[in-house]
Amino acid sequence: MKLFHEQLLAEIVDERRRMSRRGVLTGSLKLAGGAAVALSLAAIPGTQSIRHVVAAQEMTSDLDVLNYALTLEHLEYSFYRDGIGLFTFGNDSRGQSIDTNFAAIRDHEGAHVETLTSVITELGGEPVAEATYDFGDAYTDPMAFIATAAALENTGVSAYDGAGQYISDPELLTAAGSIVAVEARHASYLNLLTGVLPFPAAFETPLTMDEVLEIAGPFIVS
Amino acid sequence: MQDPMMLETPVDVLNYALTLEHLEHAFYRDGLQEFSADDFETAGYAGNVYEWFGIIRDHEMEHVNVITQVINDLGGEPVAEATYDFGYTDLAGFIGVAQVLENTGVSAYQGAAQFLIDEDELLTAALTIHGVEARHAAYLNGLQGESPFPDAVNPTLTPDEVLAAAGPFIIS
């Protein structure tokens, strides 16, 4: 049997091919917010198959949750690693260097990838590898870069919040909490850069794995 | 030495969270009575800072209301608001305390979450509050000229550590 996350990734890649053939992917990626991307993708019947595989296989172990988290951290880390340096953003409204702050965010995501990888290995699991990604116009348009970063971070918070309940080891739960707080801090800052309220609601919106994959899936090529 | 504080039941955890949310809500409610939009502007803060402090206050009030409701639903007795002294004497001091409260709040939820590990719905609800406290904390750090996200891994505080930090604000 294929590993849980391998099957998910394969499903995402198939889905992406179907969507890009229909020419809808480019259009949906131009939308700034993660929620808008999710909405537009939810309208596409083809995403049903991702829902199907997720419904069929719930996260049943801490390793599943950790690999799910690692899938998202790989996505985030590679986004910043490959994109930072393409633009110079200057200072934010408080006079802080946006470029320095982006570098800090990249380093955080790198640390999350390393930590999750080593924990999965220590638990006897097989850490999911980095995939190949396509971030659309985020690497050619600086505003799209910031908007994509904001979408990734806000989605990351919702993903951890939705997955926390599947963790059974108290120490892992605390560790996940200490990561999601940092994602929320990133999201707050990136919202500020995009002109969105840093804290748009009194409560975060937890997302299920299928909802998260609808948003993140289109970025994953293979 | 005292034994570490144990949060044994869901109501214990929720009342711990409510203790902190009361503290935060009272802090913003009273502080925003004391300082006006003009005070913020005179001190050099951008026009939306006062308004956004009001939004943070409203979030804390919603947290108080929701947690109180859940404790009632579980048949527990929600802790009441206490009397506080936050020790600030001017707007800069007020904003400095806000930063401390929010950063401590994030670490507090993180330390308490493990006590809800068998309560899926309550755990998820607590996480959705935790994230918002982190957003507040990042914003306030930035306002104070500090990094919004100083660490790759947010520090976790035990209930004892949190109560030692928050205790001096609580008069009775």
Side-chain angles (χ1 to χ4, degrees):
Chain A
M1 193 185 125
K2 263 184 156 181
L3 285 173
F4 173 70
H5 58 268
E6 283 178 359
Q7 189 168 347
L8 276 176
L9 285 174
E11 197 66 28
I12 288 166
V13 170
D14 286 351
E15 202 54 57
R16 191 192 148 83
R17 285 203 195 99
R18 277 195 288 278
M19 287 191 292
S20 66
R21 271 202 298 279
R22 289 199 298 268
V24 294
L25 186 61
T26 320
S28 64
L29 280 179
K30 281 187 181 148
L31 294 172
V37 174
L39 279 177
S40 88
L41 290 181
I44 301 165
T47 53
Q48 288 298 335
S49 60
I50 292 180
R51 286 208 194 92
H52 181 76
V53 72
V54 171
Q57 280 187 285
E58 285 295 316
M59 284 180 272
T60 53
S61 71
D62 286 352
L63 280 173
D64 287 343
V65 182
L66 293 170
N67 259 322
Y68 171 54
L70 181 56
T71 301
L72 298 174
E73 297 288 353
H74 273 311
L75 179 75
E76 293 181 333
Y77 174 59
S78 72
F79 171 76
Y80 295 111
R81 181 197 58 209
D82 298 346
I84 283 175
L86 296 174
F87 313 109
T88 304
F89 290 105
N91 287 352
D92 63 26
S93 59
R94 280 93 166 260
Q96 289 187 5
S97 162
I98 296 172
D99 303 287
T100 302
N101 281 332
F102 266 129
I105 294 175
R106 175 201 58 208
D107 293 346
H108 293 168
E109 307 305 356
H112 298 166
V113 166
E114 269 184 39
T115 301
L116 288 166
T117 300
S118 74
V119 171
I120 291 168
T121 306
E122 280 166 28
L123 292 175
E126 190 177 331
V128 60
E130 190 178 303
T132 304
Y133 311 100
D134 179 354
F135 295 104
D137 57 357
Y139 287 167
T140 51
D141 173 357
M143 292 314 291
F145 181 83
I146 292 176
T148 303
L152 288 174
E153 299 289 345
N154 281 285
T155 304
V157 178
S158 293
Y160 275 95
D161 280 359
Q165 61 177 311
Y166 299 110
I167 299 176
S168 58
D169 181 308
E171 282 184 33
L172 289 179
L173 179 62
T174 304
S178 71
I179 292 180
V180 67
V182 174
E183 307 290 347
R185 288 173 181 271
H186 296 166
S188 176
Y189 179 70
L190 292 164
N191 276 13
L192 202 64
L193 294 185
T194 58
V196 175
L197 191 63
F199 22 78
F203 301 91
E204 300 291 339
T205 306
L207 290 178
T208 62
M209 188 192 272
D210 56 337
E211 289 167 329
V212 169
L213 292 176
E214 279 178 21
I215 299 168
F219 295 126
I220 301 175
V221 180
S222 65
Chain B
M1 194 180 131
Q2 267 194 318
D3 289 338
M5 179 176 170
M6 291 303 289
L7 302 173
E8 285 175 355
T9 68
V11 169
D12 289 344
V13 183
L14 293 170
N15 262 326
Y16 171 59
L18 183 55
T19 301
L20 298 174
E21 297 290 353
H22 272 311
L23 181 80
E24 292 183 330
H25 173 239
F27 168 78
Y28 290 107
R29 181 195 59 208
D30 297 349
L32 292 176
Q33 297 266 322
E34 193 167 334
F35 303 108
S36 67
D38 283 348
D39 291 334
F40 276 73
E41 216 164 306
T42 306
Y45 290 104
N48 59 11
V49 174
Y50 176 79
E51 182 196 338
W52 288 7
F53 266 72
I55 291 171
I56 296 177
R57 173 202 58 209
D58 293 349
H59 288 173
E60 308 305 356
M61 186 178 67
E62 285 194 58
H63 297 165
V64 166
N65 290 343
V66 166
I67 297 171
T68 300
Q69 175 72 45
V70 173
I71 292 172
N72 279 325
D73 289 348
L74 292 173
E77 191 174 333
V79 292
E81 191 180 304
T83 305
Y84 311 101
D85 179 0
F86 294 103
Y88 58 80
T89 53
D90 56 15
L91 182 59
F94 173 72
I95 292 176
V97 174
Q99 185 193 10
V100 171
L101 288 181
E102 298 290 346
N103 280 285
T104 305
V106 182
S107 298
Y109 273 93
Q110 247 168 251
Q114 61 173 310
F115 299 110
L116 293 173
I117 201 155
D118 295 325
E119 304 287 335
D120 287 354
E121 286 183 26
L122 293 178
L123 172 64
T124 303
L127 289 174
T128 68
I129 295 179
H130 169 243
V132 173
E133 305 291 348
R135 288 175 185 265
H136 295 166
Y139 172 70
L140 292 165
N141 277 11
L143 203 59
Q144 295 283 73
E146 295 173 26
S147 170
F149 23 73
D151 309 292
V153 175
N154 201 80
T156 301
L157 292 176
T158 65
D160 284 327
E161 290 168 329
V162 169
L163 293 177
F169 294 133
I170 302 176
I171 297 175
S172 64

mmCIF file of all heavy atoms in Angstrom, chain A residues 1-8 53 56-58 60-61 64 126:
data_model
loop_
_atom_site.group_PDB
_atom_site.id
_atom_site.type_symbol
_atom_site.label_atom_id
_atom_site.label_comp_id
_atom_site.label_asym_id
_atom_site.label_seq_id
_atom_site.Cartn_x
_atom_site.Cartn_y
_atom_site.Cartn_z
ATOM 1 N N MET A 1 0.838 -1.203 0.000
ATOM 2 C CA MET A 1 0.000 0.000 0.000
ATOM 3 C C MET A 1 0.868 1.246 0.000
ATOM 4 O O MET A 1 1.870 1.319 0.687
ATOM 5 C CB MET A 1 -0.872 -0.022 1.270
ATOM 6 C CG MET A 1 -1.996 0.986 1.232
ATOM 7 S SD MET A 1 -2.870 0.968 2.830
ATOM 8 C CE MET A 1 -2.762 2.671 3.286
ATOM 9 N N LYS A 2 0.439 2.191 -0.768
ATOM 10 C CA LYS A 2 1.177 3.450 -0.830
ATOM 11 C C LYS A 2 1.064 4.192 0.494
ATOM 12 O O LYS A 2 0.049 4.114 1.181
ATOM 13 C CB LYS A 2 0.559 4.343 -1.909
ATOM 14 C CG LYS A 2 1.270 4.280 -3.240
ATOM 15 C CD LYS A 2 0.617 5.283 -4.155
ATOM 16 C CE LYS A 2 1.543 5.715 -5.252
ATOM 17 N NZ LYS A 2 0.915 6.713 -6.119
ATOM 18 N N LEU A 3 2.111 4.901 0.843
ATOM 19 C CA LEU A 3 2.037 5.718 2.045
ATOM 20 C C LEU A 3 0.959 6.775 1.861
ATOM 21 O O LEU A 3 0.704 7.243 0.753
ATOM 22 C CB LEU A 3 3.381 6.412 2.295
ATOM 23 C CG LEU A 3 4.479 5.511 2.831
ATOM 24 C CD1 LEU A 3 5.794 6.259 2.867
ATOM 25 C CD2 LEU A 3 4.117 5.005 4.216
ATOM 26 N N PHE A 4 0.364 7.130 2.979
ATOM 27 C CA PHE A 4 -0.725 8.106 3.001
ATOM 28 C C PHE A 4 -0.380 9.379 2.223
ATOM 29 O O PHE A 4 -1.086 9.791 1.310
ATOM 30 C CB PHE A 4 -1.004 8.420 4.472
ATOM 31 C CG PHE A 4 -1.973 9.522 4.709
ATOM 32 C CD1 PHE A 4 -3.321 9.355 4.410
ATOM 33 C CD2 PHE A 4 -1.548 10.706 5.262
ATOM 34 C CE1 PHE A 4 -4.220 10.368 4.653
ATOM 35 C CE2 PHE A 4 -2.447 11.716 5.507
ATOM 36 C CZ PHE A 4 -3.786 11.545 5.206
ATOM 37 N N HIS A 5 0.770 9.983 2.585
ATOM 38 C CA HIS A 5 1.063 11.276 1.967
ATOM 39 C C HIS A 5 1.464 11.126 0.506
ATOM 40 O O HIS A 5 1.247 12.006 -0.302
ATOM 41 C CB HIS A 5 2.129 12.017 2.755
ATOM 42 C CG HIS A 5 3.413 11.275 2.893
ATOM 43 N ND1 HIS A 5 3.659 10.452 3.963
ATOM 44 C CD2 HIS A 5 4.485 11.207 2.102
ATOM 45 C CE1 HIS A 5 4.852 9.917 3.821
ATOM 46 N NE2 HIS A 5 5.375 10.354 2.699
ATOM 47 N N GLU A 6 2.041 9.957 0.146
ATOM 48 C CA GLU A 6 2.383 9.747 -1.270
ATOM 49 C C GLU A 6 1.127 9.703 -2.119
ATOM 50 O O GLU A 6 1.078 10.233 -3.226
ATOM 51 C CB GLU A 6 3.150 8.439 -1.437
ATOM 52 C CG GLU A 6 4.595 8.554 -1.009
ATOM 53 C CD GLU A 6 5.326 7.228 -1.147
ATOM 54 O OE1 GLU A 6 4.682 6.237 -1.552
ATOM 55 O OE2 GLU A 6 6.522 7.208 -0.843
ATOM 56 N N GLN A 7 0.120 9.046 -1.573
ATOM 57 C CA GLN A 7 -1.131 8.956 -2.311
ATOM 58 C C GLN A 7 -1.749 10.349 -2.467
ATOM 59 O O GLN A 7 -2.262 10.696 -3.530
ATOM 60 C CB GLN A 7 -2.085 8.038 -1.573
ATOM 61 C CG GLN A 7 -3.312 7.723 -2.384
ATOM 62 C CD GLN A 7 -4.099 6.592 -1.762
ATOM 63 O OE1 GLN A 7 -3.625 5.894 -0.873
ATOM 64 N NE2 GLN A 7 -5.326 6.417 -2.227
ATOM 65 N N LEU A 8 -1.676 11.139 -1.405
ATOM 66 C CA LEU A 8 -2.210 12.493 -1.483
ATOM 67 C C LEU A 8 -1.474 13.313 -2.536
ATOM 68 O O LEU A 8 -2.089 13.994 -3.349
ATOM 69 C CB LEU A 8 -2.052 13.196 -0.131
ATOM 70 C CG LEU A 8 -3.140 12.922 0.890
ATOM 71 C CD1 LEU A 8 -2.775 13.608 2.199
ATOM 72 C CD2 LEU A 8 -4.475 13.431 0.392
ATOM 73 N N VAL A 53 -10.167 11.111 -1.600
ATOM 74 C CA VAL A 53 -9.054 10.360 -1.022
ATOM 75 C C VAL A 53 -8.852 10.752 0.440
ATOM 76 O O VAL A 53 -8.493 9.943 1.275
ATOM 77 C CB VAL A 53 -7.758 10.542 -1.848
ATOM 78 C CG1 VAL A 53 -7.168 11.912 -1.690
ATOM 79 C CG2 VAL A 53 -6.734 9.488 -1.460
ATOM 80 N N ALA A 56 -11.476 9.165 2.570
ATOM 81 C CA ALA A 56 -11.237 7.730 2.713
ATOM 82 C C ALA A 56 -10.135 7.433 3.727
ATOM 83 O O ALA A 56 -10.092 6.369 4.307
ATOM 84 C CB ALA A 56 -10.868 7.131 1.363
ATOM 85 N N GLN A 57 -9.236 8.372 3.918
ATOM 86 C CA GLN A 57 -8.120 8.122 4.821
ATOM 87 C C GLN A 57 -7.935 9.274 5.789
ATOM 88 O O GLN A 57 -7.282 10.259 5.482
ATOM 89 C CB GLN A 57 -6.834 7.962 4.000
ATOM 90 C CG GLN A 57 -6.684 6.609 3.378
ATOM 91 C CD GLN A 57 -5.330 6.495 2.732
ATOM 92 O OE1 GLN A 57 -5.091 7.041 1.679
ATOM 93 N NE2 GLN A 57 -4.419 5.802 3.399
ATOM 94 N N GLU A 58 -8.509 9.173 6.941
ATOM 95 C CA GLU A 58 -8.321 10.190 7.960
ATOM 96 C C GLU A 58 -6.892 10.101 8.498
ATOM 97 O O GLU A 58 -6.207 9.110 8.325
ATOM 98 C CB GLU A 58 -9.308 9.958 9.102
ATOM 99 C CG GLU A 58 -10.723 10.364 8.773
ATOM 100 C CD GLU A 58 -10.866 11.862 8.546
ATOM 101 O OE1 GLU A 58 -10.296 12.640 9.343
ATOM 102 O OE2 GLU A 58 -11.525 12.253 7.575
ATOM 103 N N THR A 60 -4.654 9.136 11.062
ATOM 104 C CA THR A 60 -4.882 8.186 12.146
ATOM 105 C C THR A 60 -3.710 8.103 13.118
ATOM 106 O O THR A 60 -3.830 7.479 14.152
ATOM 107 C CB THR A 60 -5.146 6.776 11.584
ATOM 108 O OG1 THR A 60 -4.072 6.454 10.704
ATOM 109 C CG2 THR A 60 -6.465 6.729 10.840
ATOM 110 N N SER A 61 -2.594 8.697 12.785
ATOM 111 C CA SER A 61 -1.468 8.610 13.716
ATOM 112 C C SER A 61 -0.759 9.955 13.775
ATOM 113 O O SER A 61 -0.941 10.814 12.901
ATOM 114 C CB SER A 61 -0.476 7.553 13.233
ATOM 115 O OG SER A 61 0.195 8.037 12.085
ATOM 116 N N ASP A 64 1.053 10.684 10.626
ATOM 117 C CA ASP A 64 0.255 11.263 9.541
ATOM 118 C C ASP A 64 0.187 12.784 9.687
ATOM 119 O O ASP A 64 0.342 13.524 8.719
ATOM 120 C CB ASP A 64 -1.185 10.717 9.569
ATOM 121 C CG ASP A 64 -1.275 9.278 9.096
ATOM 122 O OD1 ASP A 64 -0.327 8.807 8.451
ATOM 123 O OD2 ASP A 64 -2.302 8.640 9.387
ATOM 124 N N GLU A 126 8.645 7.859 7.785
ATOM 125 C CA GLU A 126 9.387 8.277 6.597
ATOM 126 C C GLU A 126 8.970 9.702 6.241
ATOM 127 O O GLU A 126 7.840 9.919 5.801
ATOM 128 C CB GLU A 126 9.067 7.332 5.437
ATOM 129 C CG GLU A 126 9.978 7.554 4.250
ATOM 130 C CD GLU A 126 9.692 6.555 3.141
ATOM 131 O OE1 GLU A 126 9.246 5.429 3.466
ATOM 132 O OE2 GLU A 126 9.914 6.898 1.974
#
